[in-house]
Amino acid sequence: MSPDARGFKPLSTVLSRRCGSDPALQQLLEILADTCINVAERLQSSAFRRNTTIAGSQNSNGDLQKPLDLEADAIFETHLALLPNVAALVSEERDDVHWLKEPSAGDFIVCFDPLDGSSNIDVGMVVGSIFSVFRLEEDHQPYDLLSVLSGQNQIAAGYALYGPVTELVLGMGDWIDGYCYDPASGTFYRTHPDMTIATDAKEVAINAAREALWPSPIAQFIRDCFTPKLSGGRGANMRWTASMVADVHRILLRGGVFIYPEDREQNARLRLVYEANPIAFLMRSAGARATNGRDDILSLPVNDLHQKVGVVLGACDAVTYIQTQYEKA
Ligand code: FBP
């Protein structure tokens, strides 16, 4: 039986209701959904070209770029350049802003990580794409884009998950919906309306290999998490996929907290503009929280397109508890 016959609504039907008064944004979100379908197809057809890293090709973060990183980036540009009202792109794979046209008020700026968790490609594990959308206002200085790209100014965000099923999560600030892709009809259908996160954190996503560098509030929280309940701890379980999108999606569906802190050597791993901000925007809509340990991610000033930031996000009680530990530290 088709998803329609089972009562699932296709993306375009849901978005026409969700974006009713904003057809331009609806069109952009539909184009972003098509972009993710195209990236999924490219991943599926890449089996015989997996283990190749273009020597000497590094993104601004110093990460070696894989062919699929660049292909996914090009797929985003190809689709977004179709729209007359997308003025600029900010991508993990490009050092600078990529202007598509002379910017004017009402135009969109799209920031994206075309392939998140790409270290997983070579081993066939889940990867994703992350994106966020801004609209230029009359009072914005378009060529001073850093002032525009504050997390608070996002008007929409989403991510795609390229796993057993291709999934898509979209939000516009006061709601987020989850979709699954139906290859038979070539359409996303909404399977998770109005997603909200569980309040308690039964699972923790953290790269335990970096324990020696964890700041004390994180080290103390994790010790408490992995202390059995019978011994007065949280008795939490641990999961780490090395793909932020995959860990965040699991946390949205079954609760938990994701932590990639700025370590004691002030090193952070995740990027504010196209990883932390879009996910924090979605988390807020799902009733969750996202901080850098101390401050809300969405309130952080953007000083560089590729600036890195510590990330603590997920169930409110855990994120707030960690924040109080940072305040005491
Ligand atoms: P990119 O793959 O887009 O560079 O993203 C960074 C990332 O892969 C996240 O998805 C993930 O949470 C983290 O880095 C994994 O870090 P580590 O390699 O330390 O486990």
Side-chain angles (χ1 to χ4, degrees), residues 55 81 89 107 131 137 234 266 276 297:
L89 309 179
D107 284 346
F131 51 84
E137 306 294 343
R234 288 172 179 258
Q266 276 67 50
I297 294 268

Tab-separated table of all heavy atoms in Angstrom, residues 55 81 89 107 131 137 234 266 276 297:
chain	number	residue	atom	x	y	z
A	55	ALA	N	43.763	14.294	-2.829
A	55	ALA	CA	44.966	14.727	-2.120
A	55	ALA	C	45.089	16.253	-2.200
A	55	ALA	O	44.790	16.848	-3.235
A	55	ALA	CB	46.188	14.074	-2.758
A	81	ALA	N	20.759	27.420	-7.153
A	81	ALA	CA	20.972	28.448	-8.184
A	81	ALA	C	19.776	28.533	-9.140
A	81	ALA	O	19.643	29.496	-9.896
A	81	ALA	CB	22.248	28.134	-8.962
A	89	LEU	N	25.335	31.501	-0.849
A	89	LEU	CA	25.505	30.205	-0.200
A	89	LEU	C	26.714	30.267	0.728
A	89	LEU	O	27.739	30.875	0.385
A	89	LEU	CB	25.749	29.109	-1.257
A	89	LEU	CG	24.768	29.019	-2.429
A	89	LEU	CD1	25.185	27.893	-3.373
A	89	LEU	CD2	23.346	28.812	-1.927
A	107	ASP	N	15.686	38.488	-0.255
A	107	ASP	CA	16.443	37.344	-0.767
A	107	ASP	C	16.822	36.389	0.365
A	107	ASP	O	16.936	36.801	1.520
A	107	ASP	CB	17.732	37.808	-1.465
A	107	ASP	CG	17.458	38.395	-2.840
A	107	ASP	OD1	16.342	38.203	-3.353
A	107	ASP	OD2	18.366	39.067	-3.379
A	131	PHE	N	21.174	22.150	6.943
A	131	PHE	CA	21.035	23.442	6.272
A	131	PHE	C	20.214	24.415	7.102
A	131	PHE	O	19.415	23.997	7.950
A	131	PHE	CB	20.411	23.278	4.886
A	131	PHE	CG	19.134	22.475	4.859
A	131	PHE	CD1	17.911	23.072	5.128
A	131	PHE	CD2	19.168	21.104	4.571
A	131	PHE	CE1	16.727	22.320	5.114
A	131	PHE	CE2	17.991	20.359	4.553
A	131	PHE	CZ	16.777	20.962	4.823
A	137	GLU	N	16.745	41.314	5.343
A	137	GLU	CA	15.771	42.355	5.681
A	137	GLU	C	16.313	43.707	5.202
A	137	GLU	O	17.509	43.826	4.902
A	137	GLU	CB	15.534	42.395	7.200
A	137	GLU	CG	15.133	41.058	7.809
A	137	GLU	CD	13.764	40.563	7.327
A	137	GLU	OE1	13.000	41.395	6.797
A	137	GLU	OE2	13.520	39.342	7.401
A	234	ARG	N	22.901	8.408	37.146
A	234	ARG	CA	21.806	8.515	36.170
A	234	ARG	C	21.601	7.183	35.444
A	234	ARG	O	20.553	6.964	34.832
A	234	ARG	CB	22.136	9.617	35.144
A	234	ARG	CG	22.061	11.050	35.674
A	234	ARG	CD	22.586	12.051	34.659
A	234	ARG	NE	22.484	13.428	35.154
A	234	ARG	CZ	21.527	14.298	34.789
A	234	ARG	NH1	20.599	13.921	33.969
A	234	ARG	NH2	21.508	15.524	35.276
A	266	GLN	N	40.795	24.448	24.629
A	266	GLN	CA	39.960	25.381	23.861
A	266	GLN	C	39.763	24.940	22.427
A	266	GLN	O	39.510	25.737	21.532
A	266	GLN	CB	40.549	26.804	23.864
A	266	GLN	CG	40.181	27.639	25.082
A	266	GLN	CD	40.789	27.108	26.354
A	266	GLN	OE1	41.975	26.850	26.400
A	266	GLN	NE2	39.978	26.843	27.358
A	276	ALA	N	25.995	23.766	14.277
A	276	ALA	CA	25.376	24.007	15.590
A	276	ALA	C	24.122	24.875	15.502
A	276	ALA	O	23.088	24.535	16.099
A	276	ALA	CB	26.403	24.645	16.526
A	297	ILE	N	23.346	28.559	22.183
A	297	ILE	CA	24.036	28.583	20.876
A	297	ILE	C	23.451	29.689	19.996
A	297	ILE	O	24.178	30.458	19.383
A	297	ILE	CB	23.871	27.206	20.188
A	297	ILE	CG1	24.605	26.110	20.966
A	297	ILE	CG2	24.278	27.280	18.728
A	297	ILE	CD1	26.009	25.832	20.545
